[in-house]
């Protein structure tokens, strides 16, 4: 297949047609053109060097492919299919069929040749040359298009005309006469409209206009002829850029509002940062056009993610958020509700309104985001996916996402790439995102020359075959056309596309910054450059579409609207964070006791039913060939169900299955989660003989259950965790879990953890019950697979180490209500089961950070009887000592508090040393919020005992620094608790097995001694 690909690309490469297609490469001395030449040369050299086949008998191979294709187009690779369909291959005369929609060359009168006679070889060459030129325009026209309003990057072409440069380099050196010669148009162009042929001059003019004017379309890398033709048609068809007077007036009105909004803020709040859109105001009409066209095509809900630039304008003029609410944000008022809030250009919003153009109701959400550029991208995608899921919108026809980017961030931030790679994955796709780049050709103080190595800031999108529409932001009509095509593209193919709005930034990075410090020449140009609204108004006045008075009156009207809202904002005394919520959960909190937790135990028969299903092969077991090893796994599960005990995987399945039964959708996502990194889960059974035939028993627990989804993700933490966080925001009645391969890999998603999960509720009054499963434990696997860095999560917990909340029956739930997230390390399957179910039983939602085990997954003692999961049982924040020590506390000399898997090592050592009566071991299962009440109770039970905290992590890691001050508070500083464990360390764990065992033994000996 690779061979076919290489031959395909070489055969199509204009470099291969040396005679006639090098014009575009030779024709310019500009830097841009040099780049094109270099890129093309490198590409050809690389392909040939890597593939000796390409230097050999390519022709006979191509012929072979062609013969096969003639017999059956599906028998060859799609790339060959596309190639042959494009008519680019000239086959031997006896093989060439006449295409249904094309005329043979002989049907043309070539410069006086007799119609019907066979064309001479020069005529054929000239035609091929013209075909190649057309193709070259399609491939490379964007490189010399006039995209930059400041004309800093406009190519310098000889004689200032790119068409003339073509004459000069044209292989057959066309005379004036040649320019008037009629050429047949291939089926891969639409420039002719209804004409099958055109004079060469006209062909070149039309191509110049389509591909080298204010729009640069980058699409010829797409591996689909259908999609390429679709795009060609939308840009090449004569007249596509003709707008009616009404359409022009609408663009002008929208541009007036976008410009007027920034001007109004500049006037009223001259010293405030607002990250204005000046220089790229067309983004507002552009977004509105995308939304209008998408709504016409059936979209009902649009979820947007965007950075700082132009955000307030988007809220005001795209979402139509009341202007007074926006202005109130500038007033520095106190908040009327809970939360710590955020700066105005990060806040989200949710609006339901009538789209006046389409007369349809539409929901618009702008997702709140942190300063961390592009971090919101996967969150938006997850939220969009979830909304599509709950609406049953399996093809993304009703819900869509729009992501807006800055040019520097789009190419600089890796999460953009990670998010792009989710776009076509079955369990992550949102069926096409429209990306809009507000490309002001600068990032803070850095020019593109120093901020990226790719020609365009949009090159990242090429990896997913997304077409890229570059457009000069000073040409409103070109921008609107591109937006219309983008919306139609998404509705047709449900794939991503990018609009690159090339504008400029009129002010500094923010309004207080001085841009002349760093970009003096650029800003000299900007100072002299008329703004887009004025340019467009002049154009419309000159062509007679509007009058100067009309232009003024539209602007004045909008200013009045702003003034009225400004006056209204002055009467406000408080801001309300709730006004800025992006994901309202209608009805969820209504009528609920905020401190009442539903029971998490279920009937034993439910457990048995789930267990039996989970341990059974599919109903058609005779036909479905299961791997022998998995048959053993299923048999072991069945034996456990018969004994009424559960291991970790079964406990998890009990939690999922029982929630599904209750109508709660469960979604588990992460790398290799279907099987489980440690091969313990096996939720998806694979038919050993049939590809893609799978069985997932959790999807078949009950006929009326909620949907269960378990998905191996792409190898990304940042994007996938962000995605699941977004998913969890949409609907509170779902258990959404993300599992890290090993806990420490979650640190590549740190800004999702820091900026969204730990602080989202406080900043944006938005709740999430997302569960992070983080395999954690020191098991001699070396530094990188041992620690999920639980200390970091604990350090970000918001409970006060010095404050012991009032004791009451509701102590536990009140703590959960007040904290930002929950951190736990469960030691039994039953507790794992309960804590998962508790996520849904709570009357509010909190993220759960869960250290999960590795070796415990198979530990014979890490099993729970069904009685610990059935009715009446519940999550145990602390598991007291139930053995001789706990039964006879007065004999106990030492209480070892611990958390997680080390418990099993400690009990083993205690058994070996026969100290079961003298040493109590108490497990702190929920570390944060800290169970002050239960720790106090346990300490009181062992009045005379020494209290220690034992952990396997190094002293500066693990839970110690978190629990120590809280122990003292719980004990009212009347007793001390000391540390037993490894010394401080820079690394999480040793790479030496021997040292690991030495360290563990020392810890166990220190802890289990009296
Ligand atoms: C991840 C991250 N790194 C650094 C910054 C600091 N920062 C804020 S805006 C900005 C420049 C962004 O440039 P661009 O993406 O082109 O957007 P523009 O401001 O030009 O609209 C930088 C570096 C940030 N906000 N986020
Ligand atoms: Mg920028």
């Amino acid at each position: 297949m690779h061979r076919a690909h290489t031959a395909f690309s070489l055969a199509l490469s204009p470099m291969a047609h040396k005679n006639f297609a090098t014009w575009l490469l030779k024709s310019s001395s500009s830097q841009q053109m040099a780049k094109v030449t270099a890129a093309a040369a490198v590409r050809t050299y690389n392909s040939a060097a890597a593939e000796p086949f390409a230097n050999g008998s390519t022709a006979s191979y191509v012929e072979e492919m062609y013969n096969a294709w003639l017999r059956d187009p599906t028998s060859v690779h799609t790339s060959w299919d596309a190639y042959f369909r494009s008519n680019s291959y000239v086959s031997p005369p006896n093989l060439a069929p006449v295409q249904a929609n094309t005329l043979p060359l002989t049907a043309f009168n070539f410069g006086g040749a007799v119609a019907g006679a066979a064309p001479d070889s020069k005529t054929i060459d000239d035609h091929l040359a013209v075909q190649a030129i057309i193709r070259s325009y399609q491939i490379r026209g964007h490189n010399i298009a006039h995209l930059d309003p400041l004309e800093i990057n406009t190519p310098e072409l000889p004689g200032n005309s790119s068409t003339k440069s073509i004459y000069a380099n044209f292989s057959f050196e066309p005379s004036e006469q040649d320019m008037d010669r009629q050429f047949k148009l291939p089926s891969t162009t639409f420039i002719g409209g209804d004409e099958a042929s055109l004079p060469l001059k006209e062909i070149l003019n039309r191509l110049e206009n389509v591909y080298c004017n204010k729009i640069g379309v980058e699409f010829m890398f797409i591996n689909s002829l259908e999609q390429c033709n679709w795009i060609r048609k939308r840009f090449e068809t004569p007249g596509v850029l003709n707008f009616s007077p009404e359409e022009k007036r609408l663009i002008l009105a929208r541009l007036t509002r976008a410009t007027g909004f920034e001007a109004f803020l500049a006037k009223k709040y001259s010293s405030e940062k607002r990250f204005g859109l000046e220089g790229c105001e067309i983004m507002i009409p552009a977004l509105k056009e995308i939304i209008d066209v998408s709504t016409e095509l059936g979209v009902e809900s649009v979820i947007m993610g965007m950075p700082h630039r132009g955000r307030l304008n988007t809220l005001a003029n795209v979402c139509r958020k009341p202007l007074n609410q926006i202005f109130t944000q500038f007033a520095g008022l106190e908040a009327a509700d809970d939360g710590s809030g955020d700066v105005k250009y990060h806040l989200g919003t949710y609006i339901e309104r009538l789209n006046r153009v389409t007369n349809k109701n539409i929901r618009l959400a702008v997702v709140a985001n942190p300063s961390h550029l592009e971090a919101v991208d996967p969150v938006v995608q997850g939220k969009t996916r979830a909304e599509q899921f709950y609406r049953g919108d399996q093809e993304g026809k009703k819900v869509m996402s729009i992501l807006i980017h800055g040019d520097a961030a789009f190419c600089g931030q890796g999460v953009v790439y990670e998010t792009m790679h989710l776009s076509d994955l079955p369990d992550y796709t949102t069926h096409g995102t429209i990306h809009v780049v507000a490309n002001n050709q600068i990032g803070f103080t850095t020019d593109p020359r120093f901020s990226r190595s790719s020609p365009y800031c949009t090159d990242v999108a090429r990896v997913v075959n997304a077409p890229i529409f570059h457009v000069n932001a000073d040409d409103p009509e070109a921008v609107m056309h591109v937006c219309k095509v983008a919306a139609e593209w998404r509705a047709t193919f449900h794939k991503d596309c990018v609009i690159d709005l090339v504008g400029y930034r009129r002010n500094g990075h923010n309004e207080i910054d001085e841009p002349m410090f760093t970009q003096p020449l650029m800003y000299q140009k900007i100072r002299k450059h008329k703004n887009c609204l004025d340019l467009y108004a002049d154009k419309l006045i000159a062509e007679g579409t509007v009058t100067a008075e009309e232009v003024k009156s539209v602007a004045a009207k909008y200013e009045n609207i702003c003034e009225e809202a400004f006056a209204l904002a002055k009467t406000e005394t408080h801001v309300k964070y709730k006004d800025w919520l992006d994901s309202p959960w209608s009805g969820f909190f209504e009528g609920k006791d905020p401190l009442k937790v539903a029971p998490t135990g279920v009937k034993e028969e439910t457990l048995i039913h789930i267990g039996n299903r989970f341990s059974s092969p599919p109903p058609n077991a005779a036909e479905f060939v299961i791997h022998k090893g998995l048959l053993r796994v299923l048999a072991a599960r069945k034996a456990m169900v018969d004994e009424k005990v559960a291991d970790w995987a079964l406990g998890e399945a009990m939690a999922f299955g029982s929630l599904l039964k209750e109508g709660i959708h469960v979604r588990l996502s992460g790398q290799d989660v279907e099987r489980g990194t440690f091969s313990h889960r096996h939720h998806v059974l694979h038919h050993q003989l049939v590809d893609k035939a799978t069985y997932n028993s959790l999807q078949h627990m009950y006929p009326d259950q909620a949907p269960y989804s378990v998905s191996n993700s792409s190898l990304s933490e940042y994007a996938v965790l962000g995605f699941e966080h977004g998913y969890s925001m949409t609907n509170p009645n779902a258990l959404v879990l993300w599992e890290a391969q090993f806990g420490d890999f979650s640190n590549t998603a740190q800004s999702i953890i820091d900026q969204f999960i730990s602080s989202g509720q406080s900043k944006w009054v938005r709740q999430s019950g997302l569960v992070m499963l983080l395999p954690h434990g020191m098991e001699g696997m070396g530094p990188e697979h041992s620690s999920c860095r639980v200390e970091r999560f604990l350090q970000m917990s918001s409970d006060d180490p010095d404050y012991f909340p009032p004791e009451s029956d509701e102590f536990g739930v009140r703590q959960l209500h007040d904290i930002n997230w929950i951190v736990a390390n469960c030691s039994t399957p039953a507790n794992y089961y309960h804590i998962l179910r508790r996520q849904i039983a709570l009357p509010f939602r909190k993220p759960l950070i869960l250290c999960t085990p590795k070796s415990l997954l198979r530990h014979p003692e890490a099993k729970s009887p069904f009685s610990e999961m059935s009715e009446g049982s519940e999550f145990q924040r602390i598991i007291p000592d139930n053995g001789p020590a706990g039964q006879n506390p007065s004999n106990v000399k030492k209480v070892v508090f611990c958390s997680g898997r080390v418990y099993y090592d400690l009990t083993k050592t205690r058994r070996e040393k026969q100290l079961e009566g003298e040493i109590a071991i108490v497990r702190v299962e929920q570390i944060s919020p800290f169970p002050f009440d239960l720790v106090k109770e346990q300490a009181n039970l062992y009045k005379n005992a020494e209290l220690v905290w034992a952990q396997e992590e190094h002293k500066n890691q693990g839970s110690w620094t978190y629990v120590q001050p809280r122990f003292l508070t719980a004990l009212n500083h009347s007793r001390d608790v000391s540390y037993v464990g490894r010394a401080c360390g820079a690394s999480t764990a040793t790479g030496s097995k021997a040292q690991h065992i030495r360290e563990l033994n020392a810890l166990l000996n220190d802890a289990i001694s009296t």
Side-chain angles (χ1 to χ4, degrees):
M1 203 50 77
H2 171 66
R3 285 156 60 94
H5 259 303
T6 311
F8 173 59
S9 61
L10 272 179
L12 287 191
S13 161
M15 293 297 286
H17 300 281
K18 273 207 198 98
N19 276 345
F20 41 77
T22 47
W23 63 273
L24 197 53
L25 306 176
K26 288 188 205 156
S27 62
S28 166
S29 58
S30 79
Q31 218 185 351
Q32 253 182 332
M33 294 307 293
K35 249 190 249 166
V36 177
T37 315
V42 167
R43 200 161 35 244
T44 308
Y45 169 77
N46 281 349
S47 316
E51 183 52 272
F53 153 80
N55 297 327
S57 55
T58 312
S60 63
Y61 182 72
V62 175
E63 205 171 298
E64 211 177 292
M65 287 289 117
Y66 186 66
N67 285 334
W69 179 76
L70 282 178
R71 281 192 300 278
D72 173 14
T74 60
S75 68
V76 298
H77 184 263
T78 48
S79 55
W80 281 115
D81 185 38
Y83 174 43
F84 294 132
R85 275 180 207 278
S86 73
N87 277 347
S88 301
Y89 175 59
V90 181
S91 60
N94 58 333
L95 292 176
V98 176
Q99 299 283 315
N101 59 348
T102 56
L103 290 168
L105 274 178
T106 47
F108 281 81
N109 185 350
F110 298 103
V114 181
D120 58 31
S121 67
K122 174 170 171 6
T123 305
I124 293 175
D125 271 357
D126 291 352
H127 264 79
L128 289 175
V130 171
Q131 286 205 6
I133 286 170
I134 293 172
R135 194 172 176 80
S136 292
Y137 266 104
Q138 292 169 339
I139 294 173
R140 297 202 165 82
H142 57 84
N143 281 319
I144 55 167
H146 293 267
L147 301 175
D148 177 9
L150 301 178
E151 299 193 325
I152 295 172
N153 280 321
T154 298
E156 300 153 22
L157 294 162
N160 238 353
S161 152
S162 47
T163 313
K164 270 196 193 152
S165 74
I166 294 164
Y167 293 27
N169 293 282
F170 208 71
S171 66
F172 68 96
E173 290 173 14
S175 59
E176 276 302 316
Q177 246 178 337
D178 282 324
M179 281 296 165
D180 292 330
R181 263 172 74 195
Q182 199 76 5
F183 282 84
K184 175 187 173 290
L185 297 167
S187 63
T188 49
T189 189
F190 297 83
I191 53 169
D194 295 334
E195 316 273 350
S197 67
L198 286 174
L200 178 58
K201 196 194 290 173
E202 185 59 18
I203 293 177
L204 296 176
N205 273 342
R206 290 190 187 186
L207 289 169
E208 278 285 315
N209 243 334
V210 171
Y211 289 109
C212 307
N213 205 346
K214 300 295 175 67
I215 298 174
V217 201
E218 215 186 331
F219 69 107
M220 288 292 279
F221 52 85
I222 295 175
N223 301 326
S224 156
L225 178 66
E226 185 201 356
Q227 292 172 9
C228 285
N229 271 343
W230 189 94
I231 292 172
R232 285 191 265 243
K233 190 169 179 185
R234 269 142 193 89
F235 287 96
E236 292 182 354
T237 304
V240 285
L241 277 174
N242 294 346
F243 284 75
S244 69
E246 289 69 39
E247 288 170 329
K248 291 178 183 183
R249 277 202 206 93
L250 181 64
I251 300 172
L252 184 74
R254 288 176 167 180
L255 193 53
T256 304
R257 283 174 166 255
T259 310
F261 180 80
E262 299 295 352
F264 188 81
L265 290 186
K267 189 171 76 180
K268 298 288 185 192
Y269 310 103
S270 55
S271 58
E272 286 267 352
K273 280 190 206 174
R274 67 187 148 85
F275 295 103
L277 197 52
E278 291 97 329
C280 205
E281 294 98 330
I282 198 65
M283 186 179 97
I284 300 299
L287 292 174
K288 290 177 84 82
E289 177 72 8
I290 294 170
I291 293 168
D292 285 352
V293 177
S294 300
T295 320
E296 268 170 35
L297 296 170
V299 167
E300 293 167 6
S301 174
V302 179
I303 298 165
M304 291 186 268
M306 69 179 302
H308 49 288
R309 178 95 38 224
R311 191 178 181 107
L312 296 174
N313 210 327
T314 304
L315 297 182
N317 285 315
V318 179
C319 303
R320 290 190 177 272
K321 188 167 185 66
L323 287 176
N324 55 311
Q325 277 185 19
I326 297 175
F327 297 155
T328 312
Q329 284 290 323
F330 286 87
L333 301 175
E334 290 287 340
D337 43 9
D338 285 346
S340 59
D342 200 350
V343 290
K344 48 194 164 293
Y345 39 82
H346 289 163
L347 293 170
T349 205
Y350 169 86
I351 298 267
E352 208 166 330
R353 68 166 172 82
L354 191 71
N355 181 322
R356 289 190 204 148
V357 175
T358 59
N359 213 22
K360 284 186 181 171
N361 233 0
I362 182 153
R363 293 175 180 194
L364 297 172
V366 175
V367 177
N369 62 275
S371 185
H372 294 58
L373 293 166
E374 307 291 346
V376 79
D377 298 2
V379 178
V380 168
Q381 300 298 49
K383 183 171 157 55
T384 306
R385 170 82 191 188
E387 207 179 299
Q388 289 173 346
F389 171 80
Y390 293 116
R391 281 170 169 246
D393 180 19
Q394 288 172 359
E395 291 162 79
K397 289 186 171 164
K398 293 189 179 145
V399 184
M400 71 177 281
S401 54
I402 300 177
L403 287 177
I404 298 150
H405 314 266
D407 52 315
F410 194 50
C411 58
Q413 290 293 306
V415 71
V416 175
Y417 178 88
E418 291 188 29
T419 307
M420 283 272 174
H421 268 288
L422 300 179
S423 66
D424 231 2
L425 303 182
D427 290 317
Y428 300 84
T429 179
T430 53
H431 308 284
T433 298
I434 299 184
H435 299 266
V436 179
V437 184
N439 180 356
N440 51 22
Q441 310 189 69
I442 192 164
F444 211 145
T445 67
T446 307
D447 327 347
R449 286 175 294 173
F450 302 103
S451 73
R452 64 171 189 257
S453 298
S454 57
Y456 293 109
C457 63
T458 51
D459 285 335
V460 61
R462 292 172 64 117
V463 296
V464 293
N465 268 294
I468 300 158
F469 310 120
H470 306 280
V471 59
N472 186 317
D474 265 1
D475 187 334
E477 291 170 16
V479 172
M480 292 314 118
H481 180 63
V482 152
C483 291
K484 179 168 174 276
V485 174
E488 288 173 356
W489 164 271
R490 188 212 171 254
T492 308
F493 297 109
H494 289 287
K495 286 171 65 74
D496 284 25
C497 64
V498 180
I499 298 169
D500 179 19
L501 291 177
V502 188
Y504 56 91
R505 191 186 69 194
R506 183 162 292 281
N507 303 315
H509 176 58
N510 62 56
E511 291 62 34
I512 309 153
D513 257 356
E514 172 52 82
M516 293 290 267
F517 287 159
T518 49
Q519 271 72 28
L521 301 184
M522 186 186 206
Y523 275 80
Q524 278 170 28
K525 280 209 155 192
I526 292 174
R527 298 278 182 259
K528 288 187 213 132
H529 194 78
K530 260 193 171 183
N531 78 21
C532 180
L533 174 61
D534 292 345
L535 290 172
Y536 192 53
D538 290 351
K539 176 180 178 274
L540 295 195
I541 293 167
E543 68 182 35
T545 307
V546 292
T547 62
E549 286 64 42
E550 274 179 79
V551 171
K552 271 196 201 138
S553 93
V554 175
K557 217 166 123 192
Y558 185 64
E559 193 170 349
N560 264 347
I561 294 173
C562 291
E563 285 289 359
E564 278 168 24
F566 184 73
L568 190 60
K570 283 203 157 162
T571 63
E572 297 282 348
T573 52
H574 287 86
V575 289
K576 284 194 221 94
Y577 295 134
K578 287 214 166 66
D579 287 344
W580 299 84
L581 184 61
D582 52 20
S583 310
W585 290 344
S586 49
F588 175 65
F589 299 104
E590 278 164 32
K592 271 208 175 104
D593 179 341
L595 296 177
K596 188 145 177 54
V597 192
T600 52
V602 301
K603 283 196 167 68
E604 193 180 272
E605 65 198 56
T606 303
L607 299 174
I608 293 170
H609 174 84
I610 295 169
N612 280 334
R613 281 281 162 114
F614 189 58
S615 56
S616 302
N620 57 340
E623 296 146 39
F624 192 101
V625 183
I626 300 179
H627 191 278
K628 281 206 180 77
L630 290 182
L631 286 174
R632 283 196 293 277
V633 170
L634 293 181
R637 281 180 185 164
K638 180 80 180 86
M640 280 191 284
V641 177
D642 292 343
E643 283 173 45
K644 296 190 184 173
V645 293
D647 67 358
W648 207 267
L650 192 51
E652 180 183 81
M654 297 296 188
F656 290 4
S658 56
L659 288 170
L660 293 167
K661 177 175 188 272
E662 291 159 21
I664 300 295
H665 165 45
V666 179
R667 176 180 164 100
L668 170 62
S669 147
Q671 291 150 29
D672 307 296
V673 293
E674 294 174 14
R675 187 201 75 170
T677 298
F678 311 104
S679 200
H680 71 291
R681 184 175 284 127
H682 295 293
H683 282 191
V684 181
L685 304 180
H686 291 258
H687 194 313
Q688 295 294 300
L689 303 175
V690 181
D691 187 34
K692 292 188 198 143
T694 56
Y695 175 69
N696 183 336
S697 59
L698 280 163
Q699 291 173 343
H700 304 282
M701 291 282 145
Y702 296 91
D704 55 349
Q705 70 172 71
Y708 174 56
S709 132
V710 55
S711 320
N712 289 349
S713 74
S714 72
L715 211 167
S716 147
E717 287 80 24
Y718 193 170
V720 178
L721 180 61
F723 186 98
E724 302 311 333
H725 174 71
Y727 200 101
S728 76
M729 280 158 46
T730 303
N731 186 336
N733 295 316
L735 182 69
V736 183
L737 309 97
W738 175 79
E739 183 172 74
Q741 189 115 74
F742 285 94
D744 47 356
F745 292 122
S746 67
N747 60 14
T748 68
Q750 201 62 50
S751 55
I752 298 296
I753 297 166
D754 291 2
Q755 268 66 41
F756 289 89
I757 300 175
S758 71
S759 54
Q761 183 180 355
S762 178
K763 292 193 287 195
W764 308 315
V765 289
R766 163 220 274 175
Q767 299 191 12
S768 158
L770 179 74
V771 180
M772 288 178 66
L773 300 176
L774 305 174
H776 172 85
M778 311 276 281
E779 298 177 349
M781 292 173 79
E784 256 60 85
H785 294 110
S786 297
S787 172
C788 73
R789 293 303 204 159
V790 64
E791 63 276 7
R792 295 206 189 130
F793 293 98
L794 291 170
Q795 184 265 331
M796 281 193 275
S797 282
S798 64
D799 62 340
D800 187 341
D802 304 320
Y803 176 65
F804 194 143
E807 287 176 89
S808 73
D809 291 347
E810 291 153 349
F811 185 92
V813 64
R814 193 177 285 281
Q815 270 193 314
L816 295 174
H817 179 270
D818 293 346
I819 203 161
N820 57 331
W821 62 13
I822 305 159
V823 184
N825 190 355
C826 298
S827 66
T828 69
N831 236 12
Y832 176 44
Y833 154 94
H834 280 296
I835 203 166
L836 292 180
R837 285 186 49 81
R838 192 181 70 173
Q839 283 300 94
I840 299 300
L842 288 172
F844 44 80
R845 293 290 174 261
K846 296 286 166 176
L848 169 63
I849 314 301
L850 206 52
C851 305
T852 56
K854 296 174 288 178
S855 63
L856 282 199
L857 299 171
R858 294 188 172 75
H859 197 290
E861 288 172 38
K863 287 191 176 155
S864 300
F866 281 13
S867 60
E868 290 180 10
M869 298 190 281
S870 55
E871 279 174 311
S873 63
E874 61 178 7
F875 176 69
Q876 291 183 274
R877 288 180 287 144
I878 272 191
I879 303 184
D881 191 310
N882 299 323
Q887 284 150 17
N888 219 337
S890 55
N891 289 347
V892 170
K893 298 200 176 105
K894 187 176 189 177
V895 184
V896 180
F897 288 92
C898 66
S899 192
R901 65 164 290 286
V902 75
Y903 165 78
Y904 293 94
D905 290 337
L906 290 166
T907 46
K908 181 166 170 265
T909 308
R910 182 176 64 173
R911 219 168 24 242
E912 285 163 4
K913 292 192 173 185
Q914 297 183 347
L915 289 171
E916 280 148 310
E918 288 160 66
I919 296 181
I921 304 178
V922 177
R923 286 170 272 178
V924 179
E925 302 272 306
Q926 177 181 295
I927 311 167
S928 176
F930 191 71
F932 291 99
D933 53 339
L934 301 180
V935 165
K936 175 180 154 192
E937 190 179 286
Q938 287 296 308
N940 284 346
L941 195 62
Y942 306 100
K943 281 220 158 35
N944 306 316
E946 175 196 358
L947 306 178
V948 302
W949 172 262
Q951 68 175 33
E952 54 180 6
E953 301 89 349
H954 287 279
K955 191 175 180 182
N956 57 327
Q957 300 165 25
S959 306
W960 172 239
T961 49
Y962 175 85
V963 298
Q964 184 193 25
R966 288 169 178 82
F967 260 104
L968 296 181
T969 301
L971 304 170
N972 202 16
H973 295 266
S974 60
R975 290 164 76 182
D976 210 357
V977 58
S978 49
Y979 171 80
V980 177
R982 289 175 166 90
C984 287
S987 169
T988 47
T990 171
S992 146
K993 193 91 187 165
Q995 188 180 336
H996 166 75
I997 292 168
R998 223 173 26 248
E999 288 173 0
L1000 179 62
N1001 287 340
L1003 144 67
L1004 296 173
N1005 281 330
D1006 285 352
I1008 308 299
S1009 60
T1010 50

